[in-house]
Amino acid sequence: MKMRKINLEKTLGLLVLICVLAALTNRPAYAQIDPSGEWAPRFHEDQPERIPGPELGDYLGLPVNDAARLRADSWDATLLELPENQCRPHPSDYAWRGPAQLRIWKEIDRESQKLVAYHTHISWQAPEQTIWMDGRPQPPDYTPHTWQGFSTGKWEGDILAVTTTHLKEGWIRRNGVPRSDKATISTHIMRHGNYLTVAVIIYDPVYLSEPFIRTTDYFLDPQQEIAPYPCEPVIEVERPAGVVPNHLPGTNPFLLEFPANYGIPPEAARGGPETMYPEYRGKLATMKTLPKPAKRVPYN
Amino acid sequence: MMKILRNGRPLDISLILVATGFLGTIALIQLLRAQVNSSAQQTQRSPTQASAQPNAANAEVHILHVQGNVYMLVGAGGNITVQAGNDGVLLVDTGLAPASEKVVAAIRQISDKPIRYIINTHVHADHIGGNAAIAKLGSTIAGGNVVGTIGESATQGAAVIAFQNILDRMSAANTPDTATEGAWPTDTYTGFEKKMFFNGEGIEIIHAPSAHTDGDSVVFFHRSDVISTGDIFVTETYPVIDLKRGGSIQGILDTLNRLIAMSIPAEKQEGGTMFIPGHGRLCDQADVVFYQEMVTIIRDRIQDMINKGMTFEQVKAAKPTRDYDPRYGRTTGFWTTDMFVEAVYKNLSEKPAGKSASEER
């Protein structure tokens, strides 16, 4: 009987401890770790791609298919000069990558005090994304697609997991590698104190052979002020109506500059799912590179 | 994690975290895969196939308010535009004939005013099929000498406005476009455009020469800032070039360029002038620009191949559309990729080889 009594006391004690722990960790399900705040970007990841910009013909590490390669090979940067393209913001899956300050704030229903949505504002071209947290359904497929798309969020532990659809066509890399308007984006926003990590996974049945994931980091900056970003298109170069700058297949003269300048096998520069994985380094060592130019070939 | 704790299963917290993370990731991947699959299946659904469905009478017709006075009806074949106000109801296209009852029911959800006008963008059955059934329910505003001469019947039925070629095709005997008189346009125009004012806004009906067909019109609702494009602009397939009815790739491109020039996007190249395509989702200028870029690039490539003396079989083998095929291409159905390439090739081969845009630069 004594042994049983001791065991009972221990069990009760354990239960009380569990209840106390449960009570201490019992936070509302709608705001595990609030990502709201002013966030300054950090560029240690992929700096050459993000700040000076990607080089033409560099698809290395992207799980692109042949269709995406030809789209990118045909792409002419002069497209960005056309008035109708000048004020396009980055789509919500790419916007994090820009040299862009970030603000996140939450929208609360006054009566219930429940979280309705998170909103993001990014400085370059000032795109604003709404992440609905109120469980609303997706709009029908005949409604407009936008640069920021339609996003819903839910908590997965302390991670804000966001699903985005209804996007306009966008870009995976700013050298013409496309992302289609059929893509679904899964974004994971993770806050660790003063650091914010945003992981974006792109699922594109049109241009990607496998999902593509990348992360972007921010640091909390309460003193940050974001300036307005007005944009008004102008005619920079007179062109005949309807001209769309593009390279005909097999005629883009810039595609070999990247592999030549960096001593990368041209085949590797073409990208593809295989080039995402560490094992590819072994294969790289067996592949032929182009003769390195005596002087680095300028690319812009 | 909290649910597991509340259910009285005090497992090791690190184990719970790992398991939850693992299961959450699996669930998320499965969910996203399902969404991507669903999206891919939607890509495979051709609007032209959808428009040819025999059970259109059972199809669900959806209403989407665009902006201002204008609504879009989806599901009755081609998209239908409804402009409604105090003066009555104006339609752009009428969908497939079997869907007429559902179209009328949808219109009545928007307005109980009489149907006054129907504008036809082109002659295809998925856009004019409901003319007869819907027009007879409406009434035309008429009076004075018109009623005096014709009688009260002058006001019976909605006026059907179209480019002259549509009436010519529908009223010709024994052609694929032959239709009963009740479906014919009652008010045709020739030349560049026809203008009217209805429900407090100017409406511009602009002829697009030799584009999807030779009788195309696009309709611009000025105050609402909405343009109905007919099948010159669609979102799910390559443009259908109906060569037998006078269509041409250059006419489609000229009209797409004109649509871009006519429209003004709002902030961040989004919204502003909205476009109701012949098939597919509601769009803005940026969507038209993506489409125009695609059609122009493919035109440039095929023109370049023609200039080099390549035969159609050689052009087809070179796959000049292969970067756009996963998005717009079809291997089966009413309008396949091969049919599109053949139409462009034939069309561009009909005239002396011109310069591609890349050569013009």
Side-chain angles (χ1 to χ4, degrees):
Chain A
M1 283 300 288
K2 194 177 179 183
M3 288 293 285
R4 278 187 180 178
K5 194 177 177 184
I6 289 168
N7 283 343
L8 188 63
E9 281 172 357
K10 278 186 176 173
T11 306
L12 280 171
L14 191 60
L15 279 173
V16 169
L17 183 64
I18 288 165
C19 289
V20 169
L21 280 173
L24 285 173
T25 56
N26 187 11
R27 287 169 296 187
Y30 50 84
Q32 264 71 1
I33 291 186
D34 187 3
S36 300
E38 298 280 345
W39 298 96
R42 290 291 175 265
F43 298 111
H44 56 280
E45 271 185 311
D46 307 325
Q47 193 271 350
E49 179 184 332
R50 294 172 60 194
I51 304 305
E55 302 209 32
L56 298 171
D58 173 13
Y59 318 142
L60 188 61
L62 301 180
V64 291
N65 59 20
D66 282 341
R69 286 188 192 97
L70 181 57
R71 281 290 303 272
D73 290 352
S74 305
W75 185 78
D76 186 329
T78 315
L79 258 182
L80 301 174
E81 201 177 74
L82 301 181
E84 56 268 22
N85 292 341
Q86 287 171 15
C87 292
R88 287 180 178 179
H90 285 314
S92 59
D93 52 325
Y94 191 92
W96 315 96
R97 307 290 291 171
Q101 299 155 299
L102 165 69
R103 177 185 301 132
I104 301 179
W105 70 101
K106 58 185 175 184
E107 179 182 337
I108 300 287
D109 177 70
R110 272 187 81 176
E111 289 190 10
S112 66
Q113 286 296 301
K114 285 193 172 171
L115 181 61
V116 176
Y118 278 108
H119 299 276
T120 69
H121 176 104
I122 288 178
S123 55
W124 189 80
Q125 292 285 10
E128 294 196 339
Q129 181 182 11
T130 298
I131 301 164
W132 297 106
M133 301 294 292
D134 56 1
R136 68 183 60 196
Q138 278 199 338
D141 57 4
Y142 50 83
T143 55
H145 284 213
T146 61
W147 297 115
Q148 304 310 305
F150 177 83
S151 300
T152 54
K154 63 178 181 180
W155 291 104
E156 290 179 356
D158 289 340
I159 298 171
L160 177 57
V162 182
T163 301
T164 304
T165 59
H166 290 71
L167 283 159
K168 286 190 189 300
E169 181 176 299
W171 36 94
I172 286 173
R173 192 169 274 173
R174 285 182 294 128
N175 56 4
V177 179
R179 191 264 298 136
S180 85
D181 59 350
K182 299 289 185 188
T184 298
I185 312 298
S186 173
T187 306
H188 292 73
I189 300 173
M190 296 159 273
R191 181 175 185 164
H192 301 280
N194 289 341
Y195 290 92
L196 190 75
T197 299
V198 179
V200 173
I201 309 171
I202 303 172
Y203 299 81
D204 186 353
V206 176
Y207 288 121
L208 293 182
S209 300
E210 287 185 20
F212 178 54
I213 181 168
R214 60 187 163 196
T215 56
T216 309
D217 294 316
Y218 293 84
F219 188 76
L220 190 67
D221 183 2
Q223 291 179 306
Q224 175 173 271
E225 289 183 13
I226 298 178
Y229 205 106
C231 182
E232 188 178 321
V234 294
I235 293 174
E236 294 179 348
V237 178
E238 295 279 357
R239 289 192 170 80
V243 167
V244 175
N246 70 91
H247 294 285
L248 294 169
T251 66
N252 189 333
F254 307 112
L255 298 179
L256 292 179
E257 289 181 1
F258 167 67
N261 283 333
Y262 290 90
I264 291 168
E267 187 188 334
R270 305 295 290 162
E274 195 185 9
T275 66
M276 288 196 300
Y277 298 104
E279 298 77 35
Y280 191 68
R281 287 169 186 267
K283 190 173 176 182
L284 266 178
T286 66
M287 295 159 75
K288 282 187 179 174
T289 57
L290 296 170
K292 204 160 190 175
K295 192 178 174 186
R296 188 180 187 283
V297 181
Y299 65 90
N300 54 11
Chain B
M1 188 176 80
M2 296 312 299
K3 277 185 182 173
I4 294 172
L5 286 171
R6 281 172 187 161
N7 285 343
R9 295 179 63 84
L11 299 174
D12 181 276
I13 287 178
S14 62
L15 277 176
I16 295 169
L17 278 170
V18 170
T20 308
F22 179 73
L23 290 172
T25 307
I26 297 280
L28 183 69
I29 289 169
Q30 283 176 338
L31 176 69
L32 289 169
R33 275 187 181 156
Q35 286 172 339
V36 169
N37 286 339
S38 163
S39 176
Q41 282 163 8
Q42 285 167 13
T43 312
Q44 296 304 317
R45 213 171 50 223
S46 158
T48 42
Q49 284 174 307
S51 68
Q53 59 187 342
N55 57 347
N58 299 324
E60 201 173 339
V61 175
H62 303 278
I63 303 169
L64 179 66
H65 181 227
V66 179
Q67 56 192 18
N69 291 332
V70 176
Y71 300 77
M72 171 170 136
L73 303 188
V74 183
N79 287 333
I80 297 172
T81 303
V82 180
Q83 187 240 29
N86 288 334
D87 296 342
V89 173
L90 178 150
L91 305 179
V92 179
D93 289 337
T94 53
L96 288 161
S100 298
E101 271 187 40
K102 296 216 166 165
V103 170
V104 172
I107 294 167
R108 288 296 160 240
Q109 286 185 54
I110 298 167
S111 170
D112 59 0
K113 298 279 186 179
I115 299 167
R116 300 291 193 190
Y117 296 102
I118 293 169
I119 301 170
N120 287 151
T121 59
H122 63 284
V123 76
H124 289 157
D126 55 338
H127 288 262
I128 57 109
N131 272 16
I134 297 173
K136 73 179 182 189
L137 301 176
S139 60
T140 302
I141 302 168
N145 290 343
V146 175
V147 173
T149 307
I150 302 174
E152 284 301 322
S153 64
T155 63
Q156 289 174 7
V160 181
I161 301 170
F163 192 73
Q164 178 65 35
N165 292 4
I166 295 185
L167 175 61
D168 294 345
R169 291 185 184 282
M170 292 172 75
S171 58
N174 301 320
T175 75
D177 300 322
T178 302
T180 57
E181 194 173 338
W184 294 357
T186 60
D187 187 357
T188 60
Y189 75 101
T190 55
F192 175 67
E193 67 180 355
K194 176 183 173 70
K195 293 179 178 176
M196 55 193 291
F197 195 88
F198 189 64
N199 284 325
E201 67 179 325
I203 299 168
E204 203 175 354
I205 307 164
I206 301 164
H207 176 50
S210 189
H212 175 55
T213 69
D214 61 5
D216 295 342
S217 297
V218 297
V219 184
F220 188 4
F221 299 90
H222 278 255
R223 178 174 283 189
S224 298
D225 203 8
V226 177
I227 300 175
S228 303
T229 69
D231 281 359
I232 292 166
F233 172 54
V234 294
T235 66
E236 294 301 317
T237 63
Y238 290 121
V240 178
I241 306 163
D242 190 343
L243 295 180
K244 286 181 181 170
R245 292 180 178 82
S248 76
I249 181 71
Q250 194 53 50
I252 284 179
L253 274 173
D254 289 345
T255 310
L256 291 172
N257 293 333
R258 181 166 172 74
L259 292 173
I260 293 166
M262 286 162 63
S263 57
I264 302 175
E267 198 185 11
K268 311 307 168 203
Q269 302 283 133
E270 191 164 78
T273 308
M274 298 301 289
F275 292 87
I276 299 179
H279 297 267
R281 68 170 191 261
L282 182 63
C283 291
D284 60 15
Q285 189 202 58
D287 300 304
V288 180
V289 169
F290 279 124
Y291 199 75
Q292 172 253 10
E293 289 175 357
M294 176 270 289
V295 180
T296 304
I297 287 169
I298 291 172
R299 188 275 317 265
D300 286 357
R301 289 175 185 171
I302 296 177
Q303 182 67 73
D304 182 65
M305 291 172 181
I306 291 169
N307 291 352
K308 287 175 178 165
M310 291 170 71
T311 64
F312 170 61
E313 287 306 322
Q314 288 171 324
V315 170
K316 199 168 84 168
K319 297 184 185 299
T321 60
R322 64 187 186 276
D323 46 346
Y324 292 100
D325 286 347
R327 174 64 180 81
Y328 297 104
R330 299 286 181 273
T331 54
T332 58
F334 173 79
W335 187 244
T336 64
T337 302
D338 284 350
M339 292 162 78
F340 169 63
V341 172
E342 186 174 4
V344 176
Y345 181 87
K346 276 185 181 173
N347 200 208
L348 294 176
S349 299
E350 281 169 2
K351 58 181 182 181
K355 286 183 177 177
S356 70
S358 56
E359 286 175 314
E360 286 168 1
R361 288 197 297 276

